[in-house]
Amino acid sequence: MSQPPTTRRRVDPRAERAARTVLAGSRPRLLRQPAANAVVNERRRDPRAVHEAALVQRQPRPRYDWTRDTASAGTPSAAGVFVAAVPAIPLQVIAEPAYLVLAMLDRPGGEVSEHDRQVIAAARLLADGGSDGGGSGNGGGAVVTVSTGSGEALAEAGSDRHVALPDGWADDYVPERRAAATLALMTALSPRHVLFPDSADGGDVARRVAATAGERLFAGVQGLGPDRATRQSAGGSRETGHRPTTLMTVAADAFAPLDGVRHEARPLDLATPLVAGEEILPRLGGARRLAVDPDALSLSETDFILSAGNGVTDWRSFAELGEALGATRAGSRVVCDAGHLPRDRQVGASGTVVGARCYLAFGIAGAPQHLQGITGVRHVIAVNTDLHAEMIKRADLSIVADAQAVMPALIRLIRERRHA
């Protein structure tokens, strides 16, 4: 049985043109769509907010869940720009923990480092190992972070309780104080495990505590569970395992920091002073931090990198800026091929993959292999004359200007601030 033909309304091109005409004359002006159908104050989607809503893991590599309906969850802002709203994260409360896991953080300069967040994530694995995993406080443990500063910044990292050390301890290198505080906390709280970052400072404190308390230290943990702790040995060809000991140090980049969680980080008041027992520890006479030449550090170890690309021609200013900032100098492949910097200073997939805290790039366009080398960088600052350069798109802060003009200006500003 045949279907009747569908009736379609005819379109009058003259009428449509007249509806779109806003200015007649020798050169008429036309709208892209009829005025009657034009949308006023149309809400736009914010791509950054959409990516943030879909982000489920930041480190060691960002992972996104695009199945989330971020478009339907958005709310319009005051300016009419569509911003995707992130659903509220429920607060996880461990009211009566069955046991405690201490996370002794470095917190250099008062800032929570990625390594500190990884230590908290490892402690979270031990604390949640005996619970139902839902944060109900039944049968599980609680993570107690110990560092200078408040615990507000540690709530989203997985901290249930926080013990604040005196702020002055962050400036002076006195490992006896932190070791004595750890021993005092072990006596007062009787934790099941105590975790340290496997760093220069954290490893030093952990070994002092182990020697004084007579406890075995399992260093460089790379895999952790309630019943087993593992680490790589023999160049990564062998795995060493042991039941989790009381004292352990956590290797860098072995655990992904937690994301999408919110705990209490409630301040924990102690009746006993944290410096009790400091006199029984061996002391260092005249200990201080030695100044290190930034260019003597390898690119994989430094936290601040000043990098140059093909857009840099004033190499004298580049060297002076690196000295003024205290940054490790590096460059793109073009710069190293030209002989301006040694080959071991090359950043990229064919050079060194860096994970610095800050990467300041001058005159780098942003080739794919170079962008692969800075995937793990936390903050990128780019200076380039091309507004549409890939490095500008990757950067958290961009300066669209000539590198030869910006570098001397930064040097003058740094020297003025120091004299002031």
Side-chain angles (χ1 to χ4, degrees):
M1 183 177 180
S2 60
Q3 297 290 337
T6 304
T7 304
R8 180 180 299 177
R9 184 172 60 88
R10 292 186 58 192
V11 177
D12 186 356
R14 295 186 181 88
E16 284 193 348
R17 182 181 178 86
R20 294 186 313 179
T21 303
V22 295
L23 180 62
S26 58
R27 298 183 61 186
R29 304 290 185 181
L30 304 179
L31 292 175
R32 291 184 178 271
Q33 56 184 344
N37 298 331
V39 180
V40 180
N41 195 22
E42 183 180 0
R43 296 183 301 176
R44 298 176 55 208
R45 298 181 66 186
D46 185 358
R48 295 186 181 90
V50 173
H51 278 72
E52 187 67 24
L55 183 64
V56 295
Q57 176 182 313
R58 295 185 184 274
Q59 296 292 338
R61 296 183 61 183
R63 298 186 182 277
Y64 297 92
D65 182 9
W66 300 111
T67 60
R68 297 184 180 182
D69 188 9
T70 56
S72 61
T75 55
S77 64
V81 179
F82 185 82
V83 180
V86 181
I89 301 174
L91 178 64
Q92 299 186 20
V93 179
I94 309 296
E96 297 180 358
Y99 56 91
L100 301 177
V101 179
L102 295 187
M104 309 297 297
L105 310 181
D106 283 342
R107 207 163 183 173
E111 182 180 353
V112 183
S113 64
E114 288 298 313
H115 201 174
D116 289 337
R117 295 180 181 274
Q118 295 164 12
V119 173
I120 299 175
R124 192 81 261 160
L125 293 176
L126 295 174
D128 296 338
S131 67
D132 53 11
S136 60
N138 298 324
V143 175
V144 180
T145 54
V146 182
S147 68
T148 56
S150 65
E152 296 179 359
L154 305 173
E156 297 181 356
S159 172
D160 298 307
R161 308 287 191 273
H162 180 67
V163 176
L165 300 178
D167 292 334
W169 290 16
D171 302 328
D172 301 330
Y173 179 68
V174 185
E176 302 89 7
R177 293 177 180 174
R178 292 183 180 268
T182 305
L183 291 170
L185 287 172
M186 292 174 62
T187 302
L189 303 178
S190 300
R192 179 177 294 184
H193 304 286
V194 182
L195 302 185
F196 303 82
D198 195 15
S199 59
D201 293 350
D204 183 12
V205 176
R207 286 161 177 81
R208 289 171 177 271
V209 173
T212 305
E215 293 282 351
R216 176 177 179 178
L217 174 66
F218 194 75
V221 173
Q222 295 175 297
L224 192 58
D227 301 324
R228 187 172 178 82
T230 61
R231 65 186 177 195
Q232 300 295 326
S233 60
S237 61
R238 184 180 303 172
E239 183 178 82
T240 303
H242 193 276
R243 185 173 181 83
T245 58
T246 302
L247 303 178
M248 292 179 286
T249 61
V250 178
D253 300 328
F255 300 89
L258 297 180
D259 191 20
V261 299
R262 189 163 65 95
H263 290 256
E264 283 186 294
R266 184 199 311 170
L268 186 62
D269 296 329
L270 300 173
T272 58
L274 293 181
V275 295
E278 182 177 352
E279 63 278 357
I280 67 175
L281 295 169
R283 296 187 59 86
L284 296 178
R288 70 184 190 279
R289 298 186 183 275
L290 299 177
V292 179
D293 183 10
D295 288 331
L297 299 174
S298 64
L299 295 180
S300 59
E301 296 178 351
T302 183
D303 283 338
F304 188 11
I305 296 178
L306 175 65
S307 189
N310 199 32
V312 174
T313 58
D314 188 359
W315 293 104
R316 182 184 297 274
S317 296
F318 179 76
E320 292 180 2
L321 181 60
E323 182 180 357
L325 292 174
T328 304
R329 291 180 295 170
S332 63
R333 180 174 182 176
V334 176
V335 169
C336 295
D337 287 345
H340 297 295
L341 290 173
R343 181 61 63 185
D344 60 350
R345 300 289 98 179
Q346 177 184 336
V347 175
S350 58
T352 302
V353 178
V354 300
R357 185 180 304 175
C358 182
Y359 188 81
L360 178 56
F362 281 89
I364 299 179
Q369 67 90 19
H370 191 87
L371 295 179
Q372 292 175 14
I374 61 174
T375 303
V377 175
R378 187 171 181 180
H379 302 294
V380 177
I381 304 174
V383 180
N384 203 298
T385 56
D386 185 6
L387 177 62
H388 304 288
E390 294 298 325
M391 183 61 73
I392 294 290
K393 299 177 183 178
R394 167 64 175 86
D396 301 285
L397 175 64
S398 303
I399 303 175
V400 182
D402 186 10
Q404 279 58 239
V406 175
M407 289 189 294
L410 281 178
I411 295 173
R412 289 194 299 270
L413 179 61
I414 294 172
R415 291 174 178 174
E416 290 175 0
R417 292 287 181 88
R418 288 180 178 174
H419 289 308

